[in-house]
Structures are given as C-alpha cells and as structure tokens.
Amino acid sequence: MADRQLYFQNLALTVGAAHSRYGAIPVTETQTPHTELAGEPFSAEIYSDDGSVRADFLDRVVASVQHGDVEALASSVAGLHESELGDLIEALDAEDRRSLVIQLGDRFDFSSLTEVDEAIRMDIIEALPNEQVAHALKALDSDDAVYILEDLAEKDQAEILAKLPFTERIRLRRSLDYPEESAGRRMQTEFVAVPPYWSVGQTIDYLRDSEDLPHSFSQIFVIDPTFHLVGAVDLDQILRTPRPVKIEEIMHETRHAIPAEMDQEEAALIFEQYDLLSAAVVDENERLVGVLTIDDVVDVIQAEAEEDLKRLGGVGDEELSDSVIETTRSRFTWLLINLATAILASVVIGLFDATITEMVALAVLMPIVASMGGNAGTQTMTVAVRALATRDIDIYNASRIVRRELTVGFINGVIFAAVMGLVAALWFSSLSLGIVIGLAMIVNMVCAALAGILIPLLLDRIGIDPAIASSVFVTTVTDIVGFFAFLGLAGWWFGI
Amino acid sequence: MADRQLYFQNLALTVGAAHSRYGAIPVTETQTPHTELAGEPFSAEIYSDDGSVRADFLDRVVASVQHGDVEALASSVAGLHESELGDLIEALDAEDRRSLVIQLGDRFDFSSLTEVDEAIRMDIIEALPNEQVAHALKALDSDDAVYILEDLAEKDQAEILAKLPFTERIRLRRSLDYPEESAGRRMQTEFVAVPPYWSVGQTIDYLRDSEDLPHSFSQIFVIDPTFHLVGAVDLDQILRTPRPVKIEEIMHETRHAIPAEMDQEEAALIFEQYDLLSAAVVDENERLVGVLTIDDVVDVIQAEAEEDLKRLGGVGDEELSDSVIETTRSRFTWLLINLATAILASVVIGLFDATITEMVALAVLMPIVASMGGNAGTQTMTVAVRALATRDIDIYNASRIVRRELTVGFINGVIFAAVMGLVAALWFSSLSLGIVIGLAMIVNMVCAALAGILIPLLLDRIGIDPAIASSVFVTTVTDIVGFFAFLGLAGWWFGI
C-alpha cells in the first residue's frame, strides 16, 4: 500500500511531465480504457454533430409526450443536465413543451427554465398553476428561483411567494427588492460562513455533520457575530492545512466584496479583473447577504457582450423566440431614426440638385464617398465602443487614441482617394472629377475618424451607452459630410 | 464553546433570513465594523472613480522609476494584484514601462504581463535578456507561461525554453505543440490527481503533506495508473464526506473532459453549458494532461465576443495599443472590399443616368432606399450572426426564423414605405414619386431580410465565420437592390 501511495504521490506531482511524448508512461495496472470517458461525453447522447438536439431523441420525446406515456418520458429526460433539458424544451413546439412540463410534474427539473429564452419560460410558467410553480421553486437555489420569478407579473409573483415557507419567501423577496440586473438579483443566498476563531478541524467536522449545506460551494466565508464579513478561505486552502490551525490564520481579507446594489456588469468586471470564482455580496451595512458565483457571472458577461453587439447592430434586447410583432416593434425605433437621418442627408443632396442635373456623374459617384466614410467611421467606432465597455480607454490613452485614429483616417483617406480618383477619372474621362472625389474622400474619412472616436467618448461621458447611439450619429455625420464635401467641391470646382 | 459553535452552525444555515429587514439580527459580541472591508476594497488604492489608475499613484511610480529609487518602487507595487500591475504598466509610457520591469528584476510579477495588450507585452519581453525571462517563467503557472511564450519569435522561444529545467521545458513545449487557440494551449499542467481506491482521509492527508501542490485548485481528478481519467471530485464534496469513504464512492464521472486539440471557443461553450469551474483536458489517448479553469475560459468568452463584434464592425484583431501602421493595415482590406462593392452599386446607378438627368429628385431620394435596406439587413444579420455564434440557430428553428424575418421585413417595409411615400410625395409634389419610392422600399426591405438571414446561414454552412463576411455581402445586396428597384421602377413608371 505504502509504495502505491508513494507512486500516486509521485504521479500527482510529476503528472505534467510523466506521460508526455518525451517521458516514460508508468504502467502498473491494466491499460483497458474506461468506457464512460472523454471520447463519449454524455451529451453526445442528445446532441447531433452540428450541436442541435438529435432528431431521433426528439422524436422519441415527442412520441412519449403525445401518447401521454409519462414513464417513457421521465426515463428519456432522466439524467439530462438542466441545460440539455433546456435545449430539448426549446426544440419542442409550444404545445408539446407545455405538455412535457405538465406531464412530468414533480419530476420536471425547474432549473432548466433558467436556460431557455424568456418568451418560452413565460409561456411555460403561465401554463402551470402558481401552486405548482411555488412547490418547484422550493427545490431550486435562490438565484435560479429569483431568475424565474423576476420576469413574472407582479400578481403572479406575489401569489407564488405567498405559497412559499417563511424563510424562503423572505430570502427571495429580499433579492427581488434589489434593482434589476444588480448583484443582489444574481446572488445565491445559500452559503457557508464560520467564525474566525474556529480551527480547520472544527470547520471540516461542521461541514461533515451539517445536513443543510448549499448544493455546492467553492469558498467559506468568515464572519463576526454581527454578520460583518471578515474574510474568506478557498476550499483548497482548508484541505492543505493541518486540523489545529485557526481559520483566521489562513483566511484572506475579502478585498472584493460586492455591494448588493452594484450593477451586474460592474460585478462581472471585478470577477474578470481578479479571476474570482465566487465573491461575497454585502448589504449597505457591509453585512454578508449572499454569494455571487462565476457561473452566473459568465452568463452576465455573455449577455452584456451580446447587448453591445445587438445595440451596435440596431436591434433591442430581442430574442430568437420573439414573435413577429415583438421583433417588428423592437426594430422599428432604430429604422425610424435611420429614416430621419437619411432624409437629412437627402436634404443636403437636394441643395445641389442643379449641380447634379448639369453633371449626372456626381449622382453616380456620391454614394461611394458616403459609403467609404461610413465604413471608416464604423471601424473606429467599433473599437471605441468595445474599449469603453471593457474600460480600456482612460484619460491616459484617450488623446493618444484620438491622434492615432485621425492619422489612420488621413492615411487611408489618401490611399483610397488615389485609388478612387483614378477610377473616377478613367470612368468619366475627367481628371478634374478624379481630383474632386479624391479630395472629398480625404475630408470625409478624416471626419469619419473624428466622429467615430469622439461621439462614443462624448456619449459615455454624458452617461449614454455608446453602443446604443453611436452608430446612428456616426453614419449621419459621414453621410452628410460625404455628400456635402463631394457635391460642394464639385459645384465650386466646375463652377456650376 | 459548545453554544458558540451551535450559534454559528445556526448562523451558517439560516444566514439568508437572519439579518433581512424582516428578521432579527443576532448580536452577541461587539458591533464595531471591521475596517479592511467591502466598503474599502483594496483596489480603491490604485483606481480613481472612472476606473483609470489614480494620477497621484501613477506620478509616484513614475518618479521612483525615473529616479531609480528601486525600494520606493517595489513598495509601491507590492501587494498589487497582477491585473492591477498590468493596468499600471499600460498607463506608463513605453520607456518608463521597460525601466520599471528592469529595475524591479526578480521582484516584478511576470504574471501581470498576461493582463496587458500583446504589443506592450512584446515590447517588454524584447527589452529583457532571455535569461531573465526564463528565470521569471519558472515561477508562473504553466498556462501563464505559455500565454507569454506563444507570441514570441521562434528563436526567442527556443532560447528561453532551453534555459528552463527539463520537466518545465517539456510541459511548456507540449502545450505549445497544440494548435493556437486550442484547449491544450490554455490548460494548466499542474493539477492534483489521486487513485479511485483512496479514502477521503488519505486524500486529505496527502494534500496536507504535499509541498508541491498547484497554487490553487477546485477539483481533484481521479485517474487509473495509466493516467486515464476515471472521474473527478469537487472539493466541497471531499469536505463534507467522512474520512473512511472511498473517493470512487463520491466522485462523479467526467462527462465533459476536453480534448486538448479542441478549439478554445468550443471548450468555452462546454463550460458555459454545464456551468463548470474547471475541466480535465485529455490527450488523443484520453489520458489526463491538464486542467482548464474557468478564469481562462472567461477570458476566452470575452475575446470571442470581442472578435465577433470587431469582425462585424470591419476591423481585424487590432488592439488599442497598436501603432498607426498596424491599425491602418488592419482596416485596409475591409475598406478596399467596401470600395469595390460601392463601385458596383455606382455602376447600377450609372445604368440609369438618363433617368436621373430627367428627374433629379431620384438622385436626391435614392440613398434613402439603400440606407433603409442596409439598416434592416444589418439588424437581421446581427441577430443571425450572434445566434450562430452561440449555436442558438439549428435545423429546428432555422425555417421559422427565416419566415419570421421575411414577415418582419415586409411589415416594416410597408410601414416605412407609407411614411417615406408620403414624405416624398409632399416634398416633390408628386404622388407617383411617392408610390415609386414606397414600392422600392418594400422590395428592398424584404430582400434585406432575406439577405440578412440567408447570407450568414450560408457562410456558416460552408465554414466561413459569418461575422467576418456577412456585413459586406448584405450591404452590397441592399445597395444594389435598393438603387435598381428605385431607379428601375421610376424609369418604367415615368417612361423615361
């Protein structure tokens, strides 16, 4: 036994080198590969190669649902991870989806509802009696329960909460009292906390004896009797420390406690910056009220990145499952604003209608000037919006970046002015026209660079999300400047 | 003591409810608030309110660097988190930056270099002798060391590796042998693994006795003597289990082992789907070679979201610290492609030059039709590209989404056709012109919807990242269709 242990100790320590192609592979037992392994992840059972739910699996589930064969249904979904069940639900049509949840009853894993689109979640919850929803929420972690509750109508929310036991009701209600998208909404109120004077041994004994621990945890918090946070200990620290050592000797100060009111995006930035797995959430009196975990933060990071991308693309917080009406509405505002700015640009063109009538080549070429400016401006703006979101632009580099953008805009302006000037001169056999479009391009691309960087900076400064509004301002500038510069220069040059 | 423990046990279990505004706050000792707490996170010392490095702190560091006062410098940066030190480095100018690293020597925390832009990292590494870099890398986790090494020139990389001890060299080289952006590149080769027949007590004793454990870990892997992965145990599971229980009784099968060759983006999707904190990385023979941790995955998720956003905005993988030349080059290709498509659209306009000469209002109005189509197409495309990136579009919903987009495009087309038709009719006192522009808008917005959804789907199907190429195709379609529909209809209607 002793040499076995030694072997494995050695293995644990040198594992990095031991079975590289350069080193020997220690073999002491059989080499028969294990079957439930990497090559066959469990998820392979429900997903096809392109990542969608496998058709035959889906058919089996649909058949069970439609024949009301609850046992077959239950055995099909047994053992699915909540996210797999969520994907299955999303792949079903609305009626089968509701049927599945109703038929499974208590055997339906409610946490899967945190993995589906909001529209689908609402549809299912509304199909269920509030009684059943309340019963199901009891089994969930508080953060999942809040996630499901927060989008419900006030009335349903209150009814469901009223059916919950006192302590759970209080916990959930407190989370719901924090602002939307705050750390308090995303935190889990189940956590483990011990006093600083406990020993490691005492803590481990306590964990072994407790029957009501959170489903999982990666940190133990240290608090004083008034619930003020004193520090935290990572579990690996506890495991490598001898039993008699006091917790206060191995704990680290919690430098990054998250106020419950803090916006989730800001909390996510702290997690990212300090590579946290979990962080204490404290109330306004700095007392521990919950724990924010990295898996929720990952969802926040994804959601925020998605929000920026969608806002830049001019779509609201629509989801793939939204109906035609919702989608039309969510895109309407942006299109209306774009129409207004497009008309504005047209008015600029209208100023030069006499010039265009004299020289129709101007009408043919003018979209090129506007389009190149629009693209150059969008490039600069994309970089600026992203850098603002990740807080990579600050007072130290802002002026350097503005200078850089101006220079880049000028250089690209000159290059493309030359190219396009040549094309235009050859196309319309007019050197003058080539010179005019070249000059207009340089003017517009420099303005595009300026607009692309200054507009997001300005919007950010006055507290408007640059992702949501930059695009429309930038393209308005580049359209108007583009048309004005090109048509104006042409009118002056050709004396029309 | 006993009742204290009971009190705290109770506290640990009921902590969620106990100090809500509804419940009583148990107070048994002093209420004096602790000082090193949440309200004063340590980071407050170096950051100002807008998140940039505080000016006075920066000045102090710059003064120390420029006066060569190494002791003052060392005490200023002592205790900074690697990401804080990274931010400080980014705030310095190039010369002070190199000075700081050289002056600090062994006291410089190299892991901070994983937190700065690539250009800055390269600049610093190149300023240091390879000897010193090798010495510094020895102290880093293998994933950080690989991150720093992977961007270096082959020659420097080989020289630095040659100066490392055998086992470390082998580990790093193996990671570097995996493809760029693979799980093998991002994994940490330090981990803890035990045999399945060990008891919990034996495992804990082993952890207490070992002197060479990884800096931190959140999972213990279970392997057989041939290094094949058998399962894994989360640390909280070990802590809540009595000593005599065997590891194999509490381990869970590793369903989500990550092949080292797997692309990091795919690995990140697995982490997200299954809410993993860490995952085993296995080689082609399914033997454990490393561990991928969530903090690295968070960086991957951020980087991938950023990549999509930048690609949609038409900028390459440029960074804020890139020089004018690099930035100009990174944006050039996209602008060149845009110029080509803009010229194509102009050729379409050129087909109708006679029509425009007859009726200059067409030149004034035509950019509106193109612009509205461009925006509607971009909206659809943004949603499609994002859904493809997160694998939310699959064979079950693709046709539904195409139908939805077509309907939304048609509805918005009709609405904006009516608005713009009215505006045009009043502006140019011509009902006919209003009808023509309205019809052209409907045609273009339906085509925009089709292009916005089908182009990304098609690109994805043939293996091209839809984020990188969709934008140019979609706006080309909407420009050409917009000009053609409007000018063509007008020519036909007015018989010009």
Side-chain angles (χ1 to χ4, degrees), chain A residues 312-325:
Chain A
L312 278 175
V315 286
D317 58 347
E318 64 174 66
E319 292 181 339
L320 222 50
S321 60
D322 283 356
S323 68
V324 166
I325 302 296

Side-chain angles (χ1 to χ4, degrees), chain B residues 310-476:
Chain B
K310 286 186 172 167
R311 286 180 170 179
L312 278 175
V315 286
D317 58 348
E318 63 174 67
E319 291 181 342
L320 223 48
S321 59
D322 283 355
S323 69
V324 167
I325 302 296
E326 289 163 325
T327 311
T328 308
R329 201 183 300 136
S330 110
R331 300 197 188 158
F332 182 83
T333 319
W334 181 257
L335 288 171
L336 190 65
I337 295 171
N338 183 62
L339 183 65
T341 68
I343 291 176
L344 207 64
S346 287
V347 171
V348 172
I349 302 174
L351 298 176
F352 299 95
D353 55 354
T355 318
I356 293 173
T357 312
E358 282 292 306
M359 198 174 188
V360 74
L362 299 179
V364 174
L365 293 174
M366 66 184 185
I368 297 179
V369 180
S371 162
M372 290 300 283
N375 265 270
T378 302
Q379 290 181 327
T380 303
M381 179 198 74
T382 303
V383 174
V385 166
R386 181 65 194 167
L388 284 167
T390 54
R391 307 230 174 129
D392 282 335
I393 286 187
D394 54 36
I395 50 169
Y396 302 111
N397 57 13
S399 70
R400 185 184 73 76
I401 291 169
V402 173
R403 278 200 311 277
R404 185 191 72 172
E405 290 301 329
L406 268 179
T407 319
V408 170
F410 180 74
I411 296 176
N412 271 330
V414 169
I415 295 173
F416 286 101
V419 175
M420 191 56 223
L422 196 69
V423 170
L426 293 176
W427 186 354
F428 294 95
S429 312
S430 162
L431 182 61
S432 297
L433 192 56
I435 293 173
V436 167
I437 198 172
L439 290 176
M441 290 263 277
I442 296 175
V443 170
N444 202 23
M445 286 178 76
V446 170
C447 288
L450 263 187
I453 181 79
L454 292 183
I455 289 174
L457 283 175
L458 194 74
L459 289 171
D460 184 63
R461 184 58 57 94
I462 60 176
I464 298 175
D465 181 354
I468 212 168
S470 292
S471 214
V472 59
F473 287 118
V474 170
T475 52
T476 305

Side-chain angles (χ1 to χ4, degrees), chain A residues 246-257:
Chain A
K246 293 261 183 265
I247 291 291
E248 58 197 345
E249 294 173 48
I250 57 168
M251 76 180 189
H252 49 89
E253 282 166 27
T254 0
R255 290 177 177 175
H256 312 294

Side-chain angles (χ1 to χ4, degrees), chain A residues 12 47 53 206 273-274 396, chain B residues 12 47 53 84 197 206 273 396:
Chain A
Y47 295 112
V53 177
Y206 162 66
Q273 169 147 33
Y274 298 105
Y396 302 111
Chain B
Y47 295 111
V53 177
E84 293 169 334
Y197 54 79
Y206 161 66
Q273 168 147 32
Y396 302 111

Side-chain angles (χ1 to χ4, degrees), chain A residues 1 4 7-9 11-12 15-16 19-20 25-26 28-31 34 36-39 41 43 47 52-53 55 58 81 83-84 87 170 174 191 195 197 202 206 208 214-217 223-227 229 235-236 240-241 243 255 257 272-274 277 286-289 294 302 305-306 313-315 318-322 327-328 331 334-335 338 346 363-364 366 368 371-372 375 379-380 382-383 386 392 394 396 400-401 404-405 412, chain B residues 1 4 7-9 11-12 15-16 19-20 25-26 28-31 34 37-39 41 43 47 52-53 55 58 81 83-84 87 170 174 191 195 197 202 206 208 214-217 223-227 229 235-236 240-241 243 253 255 257 272-274 277 286-289 294 302 305-306 313-315 318-322 327-328 331 334-335 338 346 363-364 366 368 371-372 375 379-380 382-383 386 392 394 396 400-401 404-405 412:
Chain A
M1 193 65 208
R4 267 242 174 119
Y7 156 66
F8 267 105
Q9 283 200 10
L11 180 153
V15 76
H19 63 300
S20 82
I25 300 165
T28 57
E29 290 187 357
T30 164
Q31 271 217 335
H34 285 254
E36 314 93 357
L37 262 192
S43 57
Y47 295 112
S52 59
V53 177
L58 193 65
H81 185 271
S83 64
E84 294 169 334
D87 285 339
I170 297 301
R174 194 182 42 197
F191 51 80
Y197 52 80
Q202 230 172 334
Y206 162 66
R208 287 192 184 134
H215 292 146
S216 73
F217 54 97
I223 54 174
D224 72 11
T226 62
F227 279 89
L229 187 63
L235 299 191
D236 65 314
R240 58 175 104 194
T241 307
R243 284 182 67 92
R255 290 177 177 175
E272 271 185 90
Q273 169 147 33
Y274 298 105
L277 291 182
E286 286 171 15
R287 283 182 303 217
L288 184 64
V289 291
I294 182 77
Q302 275 286 25
E306 181 160 332
V315 286
E318 64 174 66
E319 292 181 339
L320 222 50
S321 60
D322 283 356
T327 311
T328 308
R331 302 200 189 156
W334 180 258
L335 288 172
N338 183 62
S346 287
V364 174
M366 66 183 185
I368 297 178
S371 162
M372 289 300 283
N375 265 271
Q379 290 180 328
T380 304
T382 303
V383 174
R386 182 64 196 170
D392 282 335
D394 55 37
Y396 302 111
R400 185 183 73 76
I401 291 169
R404 183 191 72 172
E405 290 301 330
N412 271 332
Chain B
M1 196 60 210
R4 266 243 174 118
Y7 156 67
F8 267 106
Q9 283 203 8
L11 180 152
V15 75
H19 62 299
S20 83
I25 299 165
T28 55
E29 289 186 359
T30 166
Q31 272 216 334
H34 286 255
L37 262 194
S43 57
Y47 295 111
S52 59
V53 177
L58 192 65
H81 184 270
S83 64
E84 293 169 334
D87 285 340
I170 297 301
R174 193 182 41 195
F191 52 80
Y197 54 79
Q202 229 172 336
Y206 161 66
R208 286 194 185 131
H215 291 147
S216 73
F217 54 97
I223 55 174
D224 72 12
T226 62
F227 279 89
L229 186 63
L235 299 190
D236 64 317
R240 60 175 103 195
T241 306
R243 286 182 64 92
E253 282 166 26
R255 291 176 178 177
E272 272 185 272
Q273 168 147 32
Y274 298 105
L277 292 183
E286 286 172 15
R287 284 182 301 217
L288 185 65
V289 290
I294 182 78
Q302 277 284 28
E306 183 161 328
V315 286
E318 63 174 67
E319 291 181 342
L320 223 48
S321 59
D322 283 355
T327 311
T328 308
R331 300 197 188 158
W334 181 257
L335 288 171
N338 183 62
S346 287
V364 174
M366 66 184 185
I368 297 179
S371 162
M372 290 300 283
N375 265 270
Q379 290 181 327
T380 303
T382 303
V383 174
R386 181 65 194 167
D392 282 335
D394 54 36
Y396 302 111
R400 185 184 73 76
I401 291 169
R404 185 191 72 172
E405 290 301 329
N412 271 330

Side-chain angles (χ1 to χ4, degrees), chain A residues 10 14-27 31, chain B residues 166-174 177 225-227 283-285 287 289:
Chain A
N10 192 38
T14 63
V15 76
H19 63 300
S20 82
R21 74 180 72 153
Y22 307 98
I25 300 165
V27 181
Q31 271 217 335
Chain B
F166 178 75
T167 49
E168 266 142 48
R169 183 162 73 239
I170 297 301
R171 282 181 194 212
L172 296 181
R173 204 166 259 165
R174 193 182 41 195
D177 277 345
T226 62
F227 279 89
D283 68 9
E284 62 281 12
N285 299 314
R287 284 182 301 217
V289 290

Side-chain angles (χ1 to χ4, degrees), chain A residues 422-481:
Chain A
L422 196 68
V423 171
L426 293 175
W427 186 356
F428 294 95
S429 313
S430 161
L431 181 62
S432 299
L433 193 57
I435 294 174
V436 166
I437 197 170
L439 290 176
M441 289 262 279
I442 296 175
V443 169
N444 202 24
M445 284 179 77
V446 169
C447 288
L450 263 187
I453 182 79
L454 292 183
I455 289 173
L457 282 175
L458 194 74
L459 288 170
D460 185 62
R461 184 58 57 93
I462 60 176
I464 297 174
D465 181 354
I468 211 167
S470 291
S471 211
V472 59
F473 287 118
V474 170
T475 51
T476 305
V477 168
T478 55
D479 275 359
I480 290 178
V481 171

